[in-house]
Amino acid sequence: MTEDDIYRTSTQYRLWSFTRESLASLRSTTNASAADGVRAAIRSQHVGQAGSDPAREGSNDKPSDPAKEVDCLTVEEEQKLVGFYCVKAMQFADFCEFPTNVKATAVQYLKRFYLSNSPMTYHPKEMMAAALFLSTKTENHYTSLRSFASKLPKTTPESVVAPEFLLTQGLRFTFDVRHPHRGLEGGIMELLGLAQGKGQAGPGIKQSSEQLQKEMVDIEPAKESSKKARSADEVVRRIQVAHGKAKEVGKSSALLTDAYFLYTPSQIWLSSLFLADEPLARFYINTKIPTTSTLTPKLISTLQSCAELLRSSASANPGEAEIKALTRIDKKLFKCRNPDKVDLVGINKAQKRDSKGAGENGLDERVIKKRKLEREKSEKEAEGIFGPTLAKETN
């Protein structure tokens, strides 16, 4: 089984990989559904208020429909708002000194959640804290809930965990996120090995380690540098510089764009290396795939497309114009939020209250009985595999 076969079995490939068209269609559908939900909730709320108003009783005036006046967010406005809170999540993760994998996973949780949910239904500010705290658990980086909540202004432990089940539902209970960071580290180690004459080329490549080492010295310089490397030590320094630049791309642009939805982790890290030092990236690819292979031009085209996407990433430090646009969107959101979904802490408490007294551990009796039958069935199947339980010897 190849690495590609293994990746294709992952939930990231099966559930969270899209074409540009299908991704745009999904976001458009989510936006339209959320807008309908907002209008229905506002209409229902207005009817309830009108019914409880004594002054309206017996009146023949036809009540106005406030839902028609609601100006809902567009798909583009939703994306800008989610992107802003992705940046905020990254900044807070840096403030808490969380490792890169925790930060990157939290951002992907937010982006995945808002493929099937809208900011008009659940505000990204509330989901951001829940996503970041969940990522500390899924990435095995222990952080106490009280300590985590104390670092966020106007945030309680209850408000952090209240949206957690909604978040896991939106993630379809799949918490594994494959990042490009480890692949980049592996690629850089291979390049350093080649520069030191210790590396080996891939199958079908006839050059020896010494030949590859000499070829690395002759690689044309990157666009930013006009000076060609003259020794193996200078090649090593060049690789280290490219590593630093590619690493920054993976920690910012790769997270803030749709790269994770459109490309594989290996394509993302190779594209980040393309942006950092294209001649070096091309040399690395040629040590893996023969230049005569039909796969090479296809791969280069894909990497260039991904690199262009990474290059177009929004800044991790929004300017004054962007802040003004985001402020306008947030004010617009205040008027078009679903009133039934505003108080997530209250909703969470109500759900817990309703579950009490519904049977053992808050479960319905039918659910308990079903689980008992399933457990007994599995025990019988286990006996069939391993044989019946051995009887104890009696003295």
Side-chain angles (χ1 to χ4, degrees), residues 318-327:
E320 186 178 344
E322 290 175 282
I323 293 295
K324 283 184 179 180
L326 288 164
T327 303

Side-chain angles (χ1 to χ4, degrees), residues 32 66 69 105 108 135-136 150 192 203 215 234 268 284 302 306 312 328 370:
E69 301 171 8
T105 296
Q108 292 312 305
S135 70
T136 64
S150 67
L192 289 172
E215 285 182 15
E234 289 186 4
I268 295 171
Y284 177 79
T302 300
C306 181
S312 66
R328 178 190 63 78
K370 182 181 178 181

Side-chain angles (χ1 to χ4, degrees), residues 341-353:
K341 307 291 184 181
V342 172
D343 185 11
L344 293 182
V345 174
I347 293 171
N348 188 46
K349 286 181 178 178
Q351 289 173 339
K352 289 180 178 179
R353 186 171 58 249

Side-chain angles (χ1 to χ4, degrees), residues 85-107 128 132-133 135-136 141 148 151-152 255:
Y85 280 100
C86 286
V87 171
K88 286 294 180 184
M90 292 164 63
Q91 292 172 347
F92 182 61
D94 290 338
F95 173 75
C96 295
E97 298 182 342
F98 290 153
T100 301
N101 60 319
V102 171
K103 174 172 68 174
T105 296
V107 172
M128 180 200 76
L132 196 50
F133 186 65
S135 70
T136 64
H141 184 80
F148 179 87
K151 295 175 182 177
L152 279 167
L255 299 179

Side-chain angles (χ1 to χ4, degrees), residues 17-27:
S17 293
F18 306 90
T19 62
R20 292 176 187 269
E21 294 75 19
S22 62
L23 190 62
S25 175
L26 179 57
R27 284 174 171 154

